[in-house]
Amino acid sequence: MALKVQDQSSEVQAMAANWPIVEALLGGTAAMRKAGPAFLPQWPAEEQKSYKARLETATLFPALERTLSVMSGKPFSKQLTLGKDVPKKIVKWCEDADQQGNSLHSFCADLMAEAMGFGLCGVLVDYPQVGGAARTQLDEKKLGVRPYLVFVRHGQILGWKAELVDGATRLTQLRIAEQHEVPDGPYGVVYKKRVRVLSPGSFEVWEEGAKPDDPWILVVPPTPTTLDVIPFVPFYGKKKGFMCGVSPLLNLAFLNVKHWQSQSDQDTIMHVARVPVLAMIGVDPPGPDGTGGTQLEVGAAAVVRLPPEADMKYVEHTGAAIEAGEKSLEKLEDQMVTTGAELLVIKAGEQKSATQSNNDAEGNKCDLLRITETFEDSLDQVLQLMAKWVNEAEGGHASLFKDFGAATLTDASAQLILLLRAAGLITGETTLREQQRRGMLAADLDPKAELAAAKLDPPPLPAPAPPNAPAPA
């Protein structure tokens, strides 16, 4: 059956199968409770009332949320750097990249969290439609018209078509879900579902009908743009292919759900263990109508009369299952820590020739570094699309902080590097690179070019000492 404009493609459906678990975990305890049996199954023969009480008292250990926040934040622990090849106008626009007050650094930090959490999201580099109000670039400048970034979240991507052009895969169609705000009376608003269909050089917009089964309506007919490409760039968590990605923390998400279920079991058994059960042995039970038998009255001033050979006592839990549950939870939490930390474990790269392996860093990288480098490549494409909208030849490059081990390096080690250089034990280039690692120098500084320039610009001579100053020792 042919897809409708609002339908997800088979590729998106395959990725979307993993999204609900991440969405629920990132939504916290409230979202996990709302998901109900999806992530906290009801036990066989468990009464609905008991299950509801168990669900409403369950609490989430936010392992995925914390790990995602830490890992996605590492590349942004230092300011995003725009290269000197980025046009000045684009540098200015990046101070408010989305025209909602978010700088490019802040915008990309949210983008990285989305990509790592769900595997795929994107950026639409849009440009306002000004119609006849602007006929020249000068008119557009006066109106403040310029390209801006639109954050396209994982659930908005419905489907695409692509083809190979000049050896590179290019989008030939992209469908993005949107919402259109419509006034509802003097104070309220309602939202209508829309789908934007992008093609090279044009776009159109479809809107849902008045009723769920009504066909969708074309509300914006095909409208030409000045670009011959679709101005969309995908960003990946763990890239699986063009426009296909998976969260690098998906295994952690499954462990987190297991912890949610195990914690509920532990809370339940703790509740049972804390309430001892009063047992009477060798007494007459009540009759079918509830009368007769041994009557029991419990209280500080009450006297219990039992038949001969009868016994009465409190039955309590031995605690063995409680201790086993606690150990199981501790082990599970250790597994989650290890799984999250795997992103920082350096792993061997693909086999390379001796020439290709001159730089060991290229062959041995942690997953987070690989993700960050792929993110940088996508970000460079965004800058290029911004340039393309305003007929600039090049958009330039951006750099993110990638030396995640440098966070443990101290100022004292930076001084040690200078001492090693003064003693002639390391080169000037190594000195500059090590200071870059520690954030003492800009990330886009070229050590070789800087050393060459330094030879042409020697340091100034020290100022002469005052006439009465003591001679140096």
Side-chain angles (χ1 to χ4, degrees):
M1 182 181 295
L3 287 177
K4 298 178 182 178
V5 70
Q6 71 273 21
D7 292 341
Q8 288 181 334
S9 68
S10 58
E11 296 87 352
V12 173
Q13 288 177 11
M15 289 187 289
N18 295 321
W19 292 345
I21 182 174
V22 178
E23 289 169 343
L25 287 170
L26 295 183
T29 296
M32 291 295 286
R33 289 177 180 175
K34 186 176 181 180
F39 303 121
L40 189 65
Q42 189 170 355
W43 296 331
E46 183 180 16
E47 294 182 359
Q48 182 62 29
K49 183 178 180 180
S50 298
Y51 173 74
K52 183 179 179 182
R54 185 162 63 92
L55 180 64
E56 290 178 350
T57 55
T59 54
L60 176 68
F61 180 76
L64 177 67
E65 181 183 7
R66 291 176 182 174
T67 305
L68 178 60
S69 176
V70 170
M71 293 299 175
S72 66
K74 281 185 177 294
F76 299 93
S77 56
K78 296 188 184 297
Q79 188 66 32
L80 178 151
T81 305
L82 293 175
K84 295 180 181 179
D85 54 353
V86 179
K88 291 183 178 179
K89 61 173 69 175
I90 294 182
V91 173
K92 180 65 176 177
W93 294 337
C94 287
E95 294 175 4
D96 182 8
D98 58 357
Q99 289 195 328
Q100 295 182 22
N102 294 308
S103 67
L104 185 63
H105 178 91
S106 177
F107 182 89
C108 287
D110 292 340
L111 196 65
M112 175 67 87
E114 180 82 3
M116 288 186 63
F118 297 95
L120 179 69
C121 59
V123 172
L124 177 66
V125 185
D126 211 349
Y127 197 88
Q129 297 291 313
V130 293
R135 297 184 178 182
T136 66
Q137 289 187 358
L138 182 60
D139 292 337
E140 291 182 348
K141 186 175 181 180
K142 290 179 180 179
L143 291 170
V145 177
R146 50 90 161 184
Y148 62 97
L149 311 185
V150 178
F151 191 165
V152 180
R153 298 187 179 275
H154 65 282
Q156 293 180 257
I157 301 172
L158 298 176
W160 63 86
K161 293 181 180 179
E163 64 182 18
L164 202 62
V165 179
D166 298 329
T169 305
R170 303 295 184 199
L171 286 169
T172 57
Q173 185 190 84
L174 177 67
R175 292 179 293 118
I176 299 174
E178 300 178 342
Q179 284 190 328
H180 179 60
E181 187 178 290
V182 179
D184 183 25
Y187 310 111
V189 294
V190 294
Y191 294 94
K192 300 281 287 185
K193 292 181 181 179
R194 284 187 170 186
V195 173
R196 181 178 296 265
V197 183
L198 299 150
S199 302
S202 69
F203 73 93
E204 61 190 44
V205 180
W206 294 76
E207 187 175 275
E208 64 179 339
K211 298 179 180 179
D213 294 333
D214 288 350
W216 284 50
I217 305 165
L218 182 65
V219 292
V220 178
T223 303
T225 67
T226 58
L227 295 189
D228 58 355
V229 296
I230 294 176
F232 176 85
V233 180
F235 284 76
Y236 304 93
K238 190 173 183 179
K239 186 175 180 180
K240 292 295 187 179
F242 181 71
M243 291 290 290
C244 291
V246 66
S247 170
L249 296 172
L250 186 59
N251 287 332
L252 174 59
F254 284 111
L255 285 174
N256 206 167
V257 170
K258 184 177 181 180
H259 187 280
W260 161 258
Q261 297 168 351
S262 184
Q263 181 69 65
S264 174
D265 293 344
Q266 186 71 3
D267 290 345
T268 300
I269 199 170
M270 285 291 292
H271 173 72
V272 172
R274 288 173 179 173
V275 183
V277 177
L278 184 61
M280 293 192 300
I281 304 167
V283 298
D284 297 330
D289 59 352
T291 62
T294 301
Q295 301 298 314
L296 177 65
E297 181 180 352
V298 180
V303 176
V304 180
R305 296 181 175 85
L306 297 176
E309 306 300 329
D311 188 18
M312 183 176 68
K313 59 185 176 181
Y314 280 101
V315 180
E316 297 187 68
H317 204 285
T318 64
I322 297 174
E323 183 179 359
E326 289 175 349
K327 289 181 178 179
S328 176
L329 283 173
E330 290 173 0
K331 184 177 180 179
L332 194 52
E333 288 166 10
D334 289 341
Q335 287 179 327
M336 289 191 289
V337 170
T338 302
T339 302
E342 279 289 320
L343 287 179
L344 294 175
V345 175
I346 295 176
K347 301 174 182 177
E350 298 177 359
Q351 293 294 325
K352 299 182 179 182
S353 67
T355 303
Q356 290 173 315
S357 299
N358 284 337
N359 185 355
D360 291 339
E362 288 301 313
N364 299 286
K365 298 177 180 179
C366 66
D367 285 343
L368 183 58
L369 178 55
R370 298 175 193 274
I371 291 168
T372 304
E373 289 179 339
T374 303
F375 191 97
E376 280 184 334
D377 292 340
S378 294
L379 187 53
D380 291 345
Q381 294 177 45
V382 169
L383 294 174
Q384 186 60 38
L385 285 171
M386 294 179 76
K388 194 174 181 67
W389 272 117
V390 293
N391 297 317
E392 288 278 353
E394 295 292 334
H397 299 81
S399 298
L400 298 177
F401 175 70
K402 298 188 288 292
D403 195 351
F404 307 124
T408 62
L409 301 177
T410 63
D411 291 343
S413 69
Q415 293 297 323
L416 178 60
I417 294 298
L418 296 178
L419 291 174
L420 290 173
R421 173 56 182 159
L425 298 177
I426 58 176
T427 65
E429 182 178 342
T430 298
T431 302
L432 294 183
R433 291 192 185 281
E434 287 299 317
Q435 298 293 41
Q436 279 182 306
R437 290 185 66 206
R438 290 155 175 78
M440 304 296 180
L441 297 174
D444 61 342
L445 182 142
D446 184 345
K448 291 183 178 179
E450 191 67 20
L451 290 171
K455 291 181 179 179
L456 302 176
D457 185 18
L461 295 173
N468 297 327

